[in-house]
Amino acid sequence: MKLDTPILRLPSVGSVYANRLRKLDIETAEDLLLHVPSRYIDYRIKSAISDTQPGETVTIQGKIESVKNIYTTHGKKIQMGEVSDKTGVLTVVWFNQPYLIRNVKKGMNYSFSGKIDWFDRKKALVSPEYEPLDGKTQTLHTGRLVPVYPETARVSSKWLRGKVVLTLSLVEQWLDDFVPTDVLARYSLIDFIKALESVHFPETPEEAREAKTRLAFNELLFHHLRSLMRKKDWHQIMTANRLIVDTDAMKEFINSLAFDLTNSQIRSINEISEDLVKDSPMNRLLEGDVGSGKTVVAAAAAFASFINGYQTVFMAPTQILANQHFNTLHEIFDRFKVRVSLVTSSLVKKDLGKTDIFVGTHALIHKKIDFESVSLVVIDEQHRFGVEQRAHLIKKTENKGTAPHILTMTATPIPRTAALTIYGDLDLSTLDELPKGRRPITTWVISPAKRDSGYEWIKDKIKKENIQVYIICPLIEESEVETMRQVKAATVEYEKLKEIFSDMNVDLLHGRQSAKLKNEVLDSFKKGVTKVLVSTPVVEVGIDVANATIMVIEGAERFGLAQLHQLRGRVGRGSIKSYCLLITDSHSNVVFTRLKALTKSMSGFELAELDLKMRGPGEIFGKKQHGFLDLKIAAWSDTDLIKKSRSVAEEAIENPKKFSKLLNKIDSQNIVPN
Ligand code: ADP
Ligand code: MG
C-alpha cells in the first residue's frame, strides 16, 4: 500500500469512519501517519501485583480469575474482576461499561495499565486500559508510552492506534527517505521511516521529540519548496514594460513631500527601485506597522511607473480605503500632473484611458482596464483579499508570459522567520520604525466597573481639548463579512452611548451601511463634527484622522494582540498625546497578562511574536483568514527549524539531481499562490 492510498481502502475502515476521519483532515494513509499524537501516557512501569502501591500508575500483566457486572443501589453499573500473577491477586474495577465483560474473559491473560487506588477499602486497579496478551509480543494500549491523539466525535485514540499500527505495517515497504543522508546528518535529523514509527510508538520521550522534529522539518521543507518553486516560476515571467528609474526625478518627488521620509521608507523605496528595473517582475511584500507610512512608499513606486509613461493599479480592500488613497495620492501627485482616478462602478471605459493611477477596490479586477500599459499593481492590506482574488488579479494582469510589477502591502506584523514560511516566494521590505514625532499611545487595561468614570474622563477631554474618540464594539464572531449580529450589537452600543454622550455628536459606522452613508459618517468625523465614532471592529482599518486621540476597545480579550495593536494604530497619528482603553470583563490572569503586553510595547512585531507564542498564528491574522498557512506538526515558534528547512529547500532547488526524490514528492498541483 502506498502513502497516497485513500483511507477508505485500509482494511476495516468503511465509509462511516472515512467520513469521521475527514473531520481530522485524514484522507490518505499518509494523513493518518502524520496525525501525530498530542501527548503520550507513560505506562512503561511494569509491576508485580504484590509490589503495587495506591497512587501509582502501573502496568500489570496477569490472568483474569473472575469478572462480573454489579448493580449499585443508585442504579449504576460497575464491572468488577480479579486478576492474578505469580505474586498475588488484585481487584480491577471499571464503571458503566457493561459490555466489557464480553471482552475480558475469565482464564485469559491480559495487560492492564492504570492507576492503583483504594476502592471499597481495598487496593484496586481503577478503570485501567486493557488488552489481551495471548500470543502477542508487543502491547499497543498498555505497558509503554501510549499515544493520545487529537480526537473527533466517535474516533477514539484507541481506534486510531490500531489503524496506525496496521497502516505502518502495510506501507513500510513503500517508504523511503527523500532527504539525502548527509543532509540529515548535518542537521541532526533522524530517518523518516524511523520518525513515523517513533512518533506513534516511541520507546522514550526523547525519541518522540526527535521523531516529531523530523516530521515538523518535513512539513516546513515542503512549504518552503513550494514557495521557492512559485518564486522560480514567477521569475520565468518577463515584465511587459521595462522601466528606467530616473534618480533625479525620484529625488524631486521625495523632496516635494510634506515630511522627511524615515530611513526604512528610503530603504524600501530603494529596494523597490532595484526591482523595477529588472526584466522579471517584482513580487514584493511591504510590511509595516499601522501608521509606518506604507502609502507614500507605494506612491514612489507609482511615480516611477508614471515617469516611464505607464499606468499603476492601486487596489484597496474597501471602498473607504480606496477613497482615502485616492485623496492622498491626488494630493501628493497634483503638482506632477499625475492623473489619479477613483474607479467606481459608474466609471465608463473611455474615462479610464486618461488615467495614470487607478485606485479602487477588487472591483478593479472586473473593469476593462487595458493591462498592457500597466507596469505596476499595488495591493494594499493584502491579507484582506482572498487567495483567489489575488490570484485572479495576477492572472488577469499576466499577458503572453508577461506581467506587471506587484507590490503587496500589509500592516499585519509577521515575525521575520514566520514570514519566510508564509511568504517565502515574496521578497520582503520592512518598515520597522514610525515617522518622527509620534508619541507612544498610553494604553490601559480597565475593568467594566471603571467604564463610567472612563466615559466621564473622555467627556472632559473632548470638551477641554476638542479631541475625538473611537469606540470599538466587541468582536461577536469571526467572519469575513460583517454579520447582522455584529451590526445589531454595534447598534445597541451606539444607542447606549448616544445617551451617555448626550451633549455631543455620536455617530455609528458599520459594514452594512451603504457606501454613501459610510462616506457621510466618515466625512463628519474627519471634519470634527462627530466627536464619538462608534464602530464595529472589522470596518475600515485604514481611517486616518489625526485629531482622534482616544480609542476605547470593548471586549478586548476577544482580539489578538496584533489585531488590538492595529486598531490602536488609528490613534496617535498626530502630535497630540493619545490613549487606548482596553475594556475587558474577563478575570483570567492569562487574559490580563496578554493585554498588559499592549501597555508595555508599541511594536507590532514584538506583539505579534508574543501572540504567536501565546495563541498561535490564527490569532494574529484572525481565524478566518483566507488561505492562511496552517501548520499541523511544526510550530511558528520553531525559528531554528524554519531556518534549517529553508536552507535545505534552497539547496534542493539549486541541486535538483541530488534531491530528485524530494522534488518528486512535491506535487505541482499543490502549488497555490500566496
Ligand atoms: P500605513 O503604513 O498605516 O498605511 P500611512 O501610509 O497611511 O500608513 O501613513 C500614515 C500617516 O503618516 C499619513 O498621514 C502619512 O501622511 C504620514 N506619514 C507617512 N510617512 C511619514 C513620514 N516619514 N513623516 C511624517 N509623516 C509621515
Ligand atoms: Mg495603509
Side-chain angles (χ1 to χ4, degrees):
M1 194 171 75
K2 289 190 181 173
L3 279 174
D4 59 2
T5 306
I7 199 77
L8 198 59
R9 294 232 225 104
L10 272 179
S12 70
V13 176
S15 59
V16 174
Y17 265 98
N19 281 331
R20 291 177 192 166
L21 288 171
R22 202 162 294 135
K23 295 206 180 75
L24 295 170
D25 284 335
I26 298 174
E27 309 221 359
T28 64
E30 183 169 28
D31 295 340
L32 179 67
L33 296 181
L34 294 179
H35 188 63
V36 307
S38 46
R39 64 192 174 93
Y40 305 86
I41 307 176
D42 193 346
Y43 285 144
R44 282 178 297 172
I45 296 173
K46 291 194 182 129
S47 177
I49 286 177
S50 61
D51 291 340
T52 54
Q53 299 286 340
E56 283 178 343
T57 296
V58 290
T59 295
I60 61 166
Q61 299 189 331
K63 191 159 83 182
I64 282 286
E65 300 291 345
S66 69
V67 62
K68 58 178 184 287
N69 273 320
I70 295 174
Y71 296 83
T72 69
T73 45
H74 302 293
K76 296 224 171 78
K77 295 182 190 96
I78 294 179
Q79 294 68 49
M80 197 137 175
E82 284 189 315
V83 59
S84 70
D85 68 4
K86 277 183 238 140
T87 68
V89 181
L90 185 67
T91 303
V92 200
V93 274
W94 291 272
F95 304 94
N96 287 317
Q97 299 182 47
Y99 57 87
L100 180 137
I101 58 163
R102 273 182 276 148
N103 296 337
V104 179
K105 296 206 172 84
K106 187 175 159 181
M108 305 273 278
N109 286 308
Y110 293 87
S111 177
F112 302 90
S113 289
K115 202 167 170 193
I116 306 284
D117 216 331
W118 295 106
F119 184 80
D120 219 5
R121 273 168 287 161
K122 267 193 301 198
K123 197 169 75 171
L125 186 57
V126 180
S127 298
E129 290 275 349
Y130 62 91
E131 64 190 300
L133 262 184
D134 298 279
K136 225 189 256 172
T137 50
Q138 175 70 63
T139 52
L140 192 55
H141 312 290
T142 63
R144 63 187 309 157
L145 284 173
V146 176
V148 179
Y149 296 96
E151 292 173 8
T152 183
R154 287 168 298 160
V155 179
S156 67
S157 282
K158 193 163 186 169
W159 187 88
L160 284 166
R161 262 171 238 144
K163 295 300 169 240
V164 167
V165 174
L166 182 70
T167 309
L168 271 174
S169 69
L170 292 173
V171 299
E172 216 128 26
Q173 57 160 322
W174 293 96
L175 293 176
D176 192 6
D177 204 329
F178 38 83
V179 178
T181 42
D182 64 308
V183 176
L184 293 178
R186 196 188 319 146
Y187 294 106
S188 319
L189 292 163
I190 67 164
D191 175 76
F192 175 52
I193 299 130
K194 171 84 180 129
L196 276 182
E197 287 164 1
S198 321
V199 84
H200 296 285
F201 305 108
E203 302 271 331
T204 61
E206 175 57 24
E207 213 179 274
R209 259 192 303 278
E210 281 175 356
K212 202 169 162 196
T213 300
R214 172 61 211 272
L215 298 180
F217 170 85
N218 285 2
E219 183 181 28
L220 292 166
L221 180 62
F222 292 146
H223 283 308
H224 287 312
L225 276 172
R226 283 193 203 101
S227 55
L228 287 175
M229 283 173 167
R230 277 200 299 270
K231 192 170 189 169
K232 209 172 152 195
D233 282 354
W234 182 255
H235 283 305
Q236 309 291 320
I237 302 174
M238 301 299 276
T239 47
N241 306 303
R242 191 68 194 274
L243 299 185
I244 296 165
V245 177
D246 176 345
T247 40
D248 287 340
M250 291 302 279
K251 268 190 198 134
E252 194 189 334
F253 168 75
I254 289 168
N255 289 333
S256 77
L257 296 168
F259 40 73
D260 290 335
L261 292 176
T262 62
N263 286 335
S264 53
Q265 280 173 322
I266 293 168
R267 193 182 56 227
S268 299
I269 291 174
N270 288 340
E271 285 164 355
I272 291 167
S273 300
E274 277 170 32
D275 285 356
L276 292 181
V277 298
K278 287 185 186 149
D279 286 331
S280 75
M282 166 168 80
N283 195 13
R284 184 171 287 277
L285 176 70
L286 177 63
E287 202 189 357
D289 253 355
V290 181
S292 57
K294 294 184 288 294
T295 317
V296 68
V297 174
F303 187 71
S305 158
F306 163 76
I307 49 181
N308 281 271
Y310 297 116
Q311 294 170 308
T312 292
V313 169
F314 202 124
M315 193 162 80
T318 66
Q319 195 58 52
I320 289 176
L321 264 178
N323 293 359
Q324 192 170 298
H325 284 321
F326 170 70
N327 291 330
T328 306
L329 295 173
H330 193 74
E331 216 175 288
I332 294 178
F333 284 133
D334 202 30
R335 71 177 73 206
F336 297 102
K337 304 271 178 295
V338 179
R339 293 158 301 182
V340 186
S341 291
L342 184 64
V343 180
T344 57
S345 45
S346 55
L347 208 69
V348 289
K349 186 168 183 217
K350 69 175 175 25
D351 299 332
L352 296 176
K354 297 187 209 127
T355 289
D356 299 308
I357 303 179
F358 302 105
V359 185
T361 63
H362 59 274
L364 276 170
I365 299 171
H366 307 294
K367 282 277 156 191
K368 288 208 174 70
I369 293 176
D370 183 2
F371 276 98
E372 264 174 51
S373 55
V374 171
S375 69
L376 173 69
V377 174
V378 178
I379 307 176
D380 193 18
E381 302 289 344
Q382 62 85 30
H383 62 283
R384 297 189 60 187
F385 290 98
V387 172
E388 298 82 35
Q389 279 176 323
R390 275 180 274 156
H392 189 117
L393 180 80
I394 291 169
K395 223 40 310 99
K396 180 149 178 176
T397 57
E398 271 183 56
N399 189 3
K400 303 181 202 98
T402 66
H405 296 289
I406 294 185
L407 177 66
T408 44
M409 309 201 283
T410 183
T412 307
I414 303 154
R416 199 152 186 116
T417 36
L420 211 58
T421 325
I422 304 170
Y423 299 118
D425 56 336
L426 306 183
D427 294 309
L428 196 62
S429 288
T430 317
L431 299 183
D432 50 11
E433 60 192 319
L434 292 179
K436 277 195 212 72
R438 296 269 167 81
R439 292 220 242 152
I441 302 159
T442 298
T443 303
W444 293 311
V445 183
I446 63 177
S447 70
K450 299 240 179 81
R451 192 186 276 121
D452 288 342
S453 49
Y455 288 154
E456 288 309 312
W457 177 80
I458 289 169
K459 268 189 217 170
D460 204 51
K461 280 262 178 200
I462 295 172
K463 281 177 188 153
K464 286 199 179 125
E465 296 171 26
N466 197 29
I467 49 95
Q468 291 163 276
V469 182
Y470 293 101
I471 298 187
I472 308 293
C473 301
L475 195 64
I476 305 287
E477 53 207 317
E478 291 269 1
S479 168
E480 280 150 30
V481 288
E482 197 152 276
T483 62
M484 266 333 276
R485 277 182 68 203
Q486 184 75 66
V487 170
K488 270 192 198 130
T491 311
V492 170
E493 185 75 14
Y494 165 64
E495 295 297 335
K496 192 189 93 189
L497 289 162
K498 250 193 339 196
E499 308 250 302
I500 293 169
F501 294 89
S502 56
D503 54 345
M504 41 191 81
N505 287 331
V506 182
D507 215 343
L508 173 68
L509 182 68
H510 65 69
R512 295 283 179 110
Q513 287 165 330
S514 68
K516 188 165 162 282
L517 182 57
K518 268 190 219 166
N519 277 333
E520 283 167 14
V521 171
L522 276 173
D523 233 35
S524 59
F525 192 62
K526 269 186 205 151
K527 287 191 183 123
V529 178
T530 301
K531 297 297 174 197
V532 178
L533 183 62
V534 182
S535 161
T536 52
V538 293
V539 283
E540 318 325 340
V541 284
I543 306 172
D544 188 11
V545 178
N547 193 48
T549 58
I550 300 178
M551 171 167 287
V552 179
I553 303 176
E554 291 280 352
E557 75 282 356
R558 302 196 180 186
F559 297 90
L561 290 184
Q563 269 176 306
L564 288 170
H565 177 68
Q566 277 197 30
L567 282 169
R568 172 172 74 172
R570 298 299 111 223
V571 297
R573 299 218 138 192
S575 49
I576 318 168
K577 168 108 195 99
S578 291
Y579 300 87
C580 177
L581 280 60
L582 304 172
I583 304 189
T584 175
D585 48 16
S586 162
H587 296 293
S588 144
N589 255 336
V590 179
V591 168
F592 188 75
T593 313
R594 212 163 59 76
L595 293 180
K596 202 79 188 156
L598 276 154
T599 67
K600 296 190 189 119
S601 176
M602 274 299 292
S603 154
F605 286 97
E606 233 173 75
L607 291 165
E609 197 105 42
L610 206 72
D611 238 4
L612 207 53
K613 283 195 190 119
M614 293 178 85
R615 305 214 299 178
E619 305 300 337
I620 295 186
F621 308 98
K623 285 194 193 76
K624 294 276 156 62
Q625 189 81 50
H626 293 282
F628 182 72
L629 187 58
D630 192 17
L631 290 182
K632 289 196 162 78
I633 305 175
W636 293 108
S637 48
D638 285 345
T639 47
D640 201 38
L641 205 62
I642 291 175
K643 285 183 200 152
K644 282 180 186 170
S645 52
R646 177 74 177 192
S647 27
V648 176
E650 280 165 1
E651 196 180 334
I653 297 285
E654 271 163 36
N655 198 348
K657 231 186 192 152
K658 175 173 174 183
F659 288 85
S660 60
K661 274 188 202 161
L662 172 62
L663 296 173
N664 282 337
K665 285 241 358 149
I666 303 289
D667 179 0
S668 60
Q669 295 300 309
N670 275 334
I671 302 182
V672 285
N674 257 331

